Amino acid sequence: ELKNTMSVVWENSSDTVAISVRKVSGNVTSMVSPSFFRPALIARKRNNTEDISAIVMELACNEIQKKRDSFTAASAITTLNLPSVLLRVVQKAEFAGIDLHSTSGKNGFEGIVHGGNRLDPMSLRVLAFTDMLSRAWQSNRDELVFEHDAILQEGGNRTKFEVKVTRLEENAIVVVVRDVSE
């Protein structure tokens, strides 16, 4: 019962929940509930967005250590300063048997897409979430709350997020992101 209840909360909450773990290498793997990325998946015309159980992000250790601003905007991003982030969309049917170390197969990791002077909608959200994760990992406090602003589509309005970080142990945090712009 508890597992089923938590699954419903994870997949349907308007808040985004991320469980983030730092590996021995210093790289960070984060499993993120789909709510933050759902608008971008719809914009990509991805079939069955309701069948998506999680987004997995793999960040290089040097990306976590970089100073991140409290504002993410597409206009400030160039191909020279794109973070080293890999992304994987996990379907519900694959969730129980997910192998986070596999980079092959139809749901392997993919990089950020930058087509000329334009980022696709998913990349804008990945960049914003990378900024939030970086700020979360840079704190050593057991609990932290901060705000982060982002423009999540080219020509769009600024969205304000409240980010709450809870440290589970030295190399594991839980991040809850809530849109508070309304």
Side-chain angles (χ1 to χ4, degrees), residues 40-95:
L41 292 166
I42 291 168
R44 275 186 166 184
K45 296 179 177 47
R46 185 157 185 131
N47 293 338
N48 302 323
T49 56
E50 296 304 315
D51 280 343
I52 294 172
S53 193
I55 307 296
V56 178
M57 297 174 63
E58 179 81 21
L59 286 78
C61 64
N62 61 338
E63 293 302 332
I64 293 299
Q65 297 166 353
K66 288 182 181 176
K67 165 95 174 72
R68 296 292 183 182
D69 293 327
S70 60
F71 177 60
T72 304
S75 60
I77 304 299
T78 68
T79 54
L80 299 175
N81 65 1
L82 282 175
S84 177
V85 180
L86 296 175
L87 180 72
R88 183 173 178 186
V89 177
V90 180
Q91 300 290 327
K92 288 180 185 178
E94 302 165 321
F95 191 74

Side-chain angles (χ1 to χ4, degrees), residues 34-45 121-122 125 152:
S35 60
F36 187 82
F37 296 101
R38 191 164 278 125
L41 292 166
I42 291 168
R44 275 186 166 184
K45 296 179 177 47
M122 184 62 123
R125 289 181 176 271
L152 300 173

Side-chain angles (χ1 to χ4, degrees), residues 43-172:
R44 275 186 166 184
K45 296 179 177 47
R46 185 157 185 131
N47 293 338
N48 302 323
T49 56
E50 296 304 315
D51 280 343
I52 294 172
S53 193
I55 307 296
V56 178
M57 297 174 63
E58 179 81 21
L59 286 78
C61 64
N62 61 338
E63 293 302 332
I64 293 299
Q65 297 166 353
K66 288 182 181 176
K67 165 95 174 72
R68 296 292 183 182
D69 293 327
S70 60
F71 177 60
T72 304
S75 60
I77 304 299
T78 68
T79 54
L80 299 175
N81 65 1
L82 282 175
S84 177
V85 180
L86 296 175
L87 180 72
R88 183 173 178 186
V89 177
V90 180
Q91 300 290 327
K92 288 180 185 178
E94 302 165 321
F95 191 74
I98 186 172
D99 177 7
L100 295 179
H101 303 292
S102 171
T103 56
S104 62
K106 67 178 183 175
N107 286 315
F109 287 96
E110 57 186 74
I112 292 177
V113 178
H114 191 284
N117 294 326
R118 196 168 166 267
L119 290 167
D120 78 320
M122 184 62 123
S123 296
L124 291 169
R125 289 181 176 271
V126 169
L127 291 170
F129 213 84
T130 298
D131 286 347
M132 289 184 255
L133 282 173
S134 296
R135 290 181 65 197
W137 275 105
Q138 288 174 10
S139 172
N140 291 325
R141 295 172 41 191
D142 288 342
E143 289 194 0
L144 172 70
V145 177
F146 62 87
E147 288 187 349
H148 186 87
D149 292 353
I151 296 177
L152 300 173
Q153 61 186 14
E154 292 196 38
N157 294 327
R158 186 181 285 229
T159 303
K160 183 177 286 301
F161 296 99
E162 178 185 81
V163 182
K164 181 173 184 189
V165 182
T166 303
R167 186 167 296 280
L168 300 177
E169 56 185 56
E170 183 181 350
N171 292 311

